[in-house]
Amino acid sequence: MKTISINDLSEFKIGHTTNVQAGTGCTVLLSEEGAVAGVDVRGGSPGTKETDLLKSENLVNQVHGIFLSGGSAFGLDVGGGVLKFLEEKNIGFDVSVAKVPIVPGAILFDLMVGEPKTRPDAQYGYDACIHALDSSVFNSGSVGAGTGATIGKVLGSDYVMKGGIGSYAIQIGDLKVGAVVAVNCFGDVIDPSTGTVIAGVQADGKLLFTEKQLLDQIHDAQTNRFNGNTTIGCIITNASMTKAEANKIASCAHDGLARTMRPSHAFVDGDTLFVMSSDRVKVDLNGLASIAANVVEQAVLDAVKSADSLFGIKAYKDMEGKE
């Protein structure tokens, strides 16, 4: 097994649109040839588009893109720009009178950062597609869907740390598996290799530990809890699978979130993971599920460790005693 760049999965093109001033952005993953796809949506506050198409019993078997966006529910408009771009390229599901691109997506809440009235829209999605075809390098950190992402929100916006977007990919023989994850979680982020909290709720650079705060407040009335969190991402691979199997791989990949976030899949998270497969290499699916969880883990860590401070919000890079 060797570590590779996410861009080495050349069947997929990935691009960002970033608005640093507004503190928001989006990320798109394109499959011009079409990809077998699945999804698993968890947490109590999801924001998604066209995920019902990916149910195993439904007709459509391929997608042509996935988008990840900030902007809360407003960010779902990004999908329209991706559809426009792909239609112009004559890419989509053939319905005889047109080709309809299939582009599911998910959003995260970043309206507490930057300019809350500026949200990713169709133009963001269109521009991200252009960047996807033009770029051969994936940038991690405070870019794309991770631009305004934050983590550790149990005590509100004054105590959060900066989240971001990250990637990780591996190759074993002909098999390639990678993940792109935008980290905007309610809880803390853990390095599974050490069990150490590396980012989360903090005051003056000192970590305060979300689970401790929740236990201390267990008898308090329920609150909004900085409503709107959510970690979203996509696993991409060349492994052969059916749509039903892609849905199961997406479910197993959530183990990677559970290992790196404490707590994960909370009432105020809408964690969503997609799978896109170019369906080329036959492998054992149990082993693939394990790899999918692992690349998600590592993409989460990449997102947090690559993030830069923004709007005065501390990042991992700013913390004393970091690994």
Side-chain angles (χ1 to χ4, degrees):
M1 183 173 72
K2 64 178 180 179
T3 302
I4 60 174
S5 165
I6 195 75
N7 296 103
D8 288 334
L9 285 108
S10 57
E11 307 97 312
F12 305 94
K13 306 298 182 184
I14 309 170
H16 302 303
T17 298
T18 303
N19 187 333
V20 174
Q21 180 178 346
T24 195
C26 71
T27 301
V28 301
L29 301 94
L30 302 180
S31 174
E32 296 172 279
E33 300 298 321
V36 177
V39 68
D40 190 57
V41 182
R42 301 194 188 182
S45 303
T48 59
K49 178 180 182 291
E50 302 228 79
T51 50
D52 277 358
L53 279 174
L54 301 182
K55 289 182 177 179
S56 301
E57 69 271 21
N58 288 342
L59 175 65
V60 173
N61 286 315
Q62 289 190 325
V63 303
H64 306 97
I66 297 288
F67 71 88
L68 311 171
S69 181
S72 190
F74 301 104
L76 293 173
D77 285 348
V78 163
V82 183
L83 262 70
K84 179 182 177 183
F85 180 88
L86 291 173
E87 184 183 25
E88 290 175 359
K89 299 288 185 182
N90 198 34
I91 295 170
F93 182 69
D94 193 344
V95 294
S96 73
V97 294
K99 287 189 176 179
V100 181
I102 307 300
V103 186
I107 52 86
L108 56 80
F109 182 91
D110 58 6
L111 301 183
M112 298 296 289
V113 176
E115 300 173 1
K117 293 294 186 181
T118 301
R119 300 95 178 225
D121 58 14
Q123 190 62 51
Y124 279 60
Y126 191 94
D127 291 345
C129 291
I130 294 173
H131 297 154
L133 296 190
D134 288 346
S135 176
S136 60
V137 177
F138 179 90
N139 293 316
S140 296
S142 302
V143 295
T147 304
T150 52
I151 55 180
K153 303 168 189 176
V154 66
L155 297 179
S157 58
D158 291 337
Y159 300 88
V160 300
M161 284 182 63
K162 191 68 186 68
I165 193 165
S167 74
Y168 189 80
I170 62 98
Q171 181 172 357
I172 305 175
D174 293 331
L175 173 68
K176 298 178 183 179
V177 187
V180 173
V181 182
V183 180
N184 189 61
C185 53
F186 170 71
D188 301 328
V189 173
I190 315 297
D191 184 340
S193 67
T194 63
T196 303
V197 176
I198 63 169
V201 61
Q202 60 82 35
D204 299 322
K206 180 180 179 182
L207 292 166
L208 302 178
F209 307 107
T210 294
E211 288 190 328
K212 178 182 183 303
Q213 300 301 321
L214 287 171
L215 293 176
D216 288 347
Q217 302 169 25
I218 194 70
H219 292 296
D220 292 352
Q222 287 194 3
T223 66
N224 174 299
R225 295 292 186 191
F226 195 63
N227 191 25
N229 302 289
T230 301
T231 294
I232 52 180
C234 185
I235 296 93
I236 55 177
T237 182
N238 61 0
S240 293
M241 64 185 72
T242 66
K243 184 165 72 166
E245 290 165 345
N247 281 317
K248 183 61 177 176
I249 295 295
S251 176
C252 294
H254 273 276
D255 288 356
L257 300 187
R259 294 171 193 163
T260 53
M261 297 172 190
R262 188 179 297 163
S264 60
H265 308 124
F267 284 95
V268 289
D269 284 313
D271 301 333
T272 300
L273 291 177
F274 295 94
V275 168
M276 296 173 73
S277 169
S278 58
D279 196 27
R280 297 181 179 183
V281 179
K282 291 189 179 297
V283 296
D284 172 65
L285 293 176
N286 289 298
L288 179 64
S290 179
I291 294 169
N294 178 257
V295 294
V296 167
E297 276 185 34
Q298 297 302 318
V300 169
L301 298 181
D302 179 49
V304 172
K305 292 183 177 182
S306 300
D308 294 311
S309 179
L310 193 64
F311 301 104
I313 301 170
K314 285 185 179 294
Y316 169 83
K317 296 174 182 178
D318 305 317
M319 301 293 282
E320 292 185 8
K322 63 180 183 294
E323 298 175 313

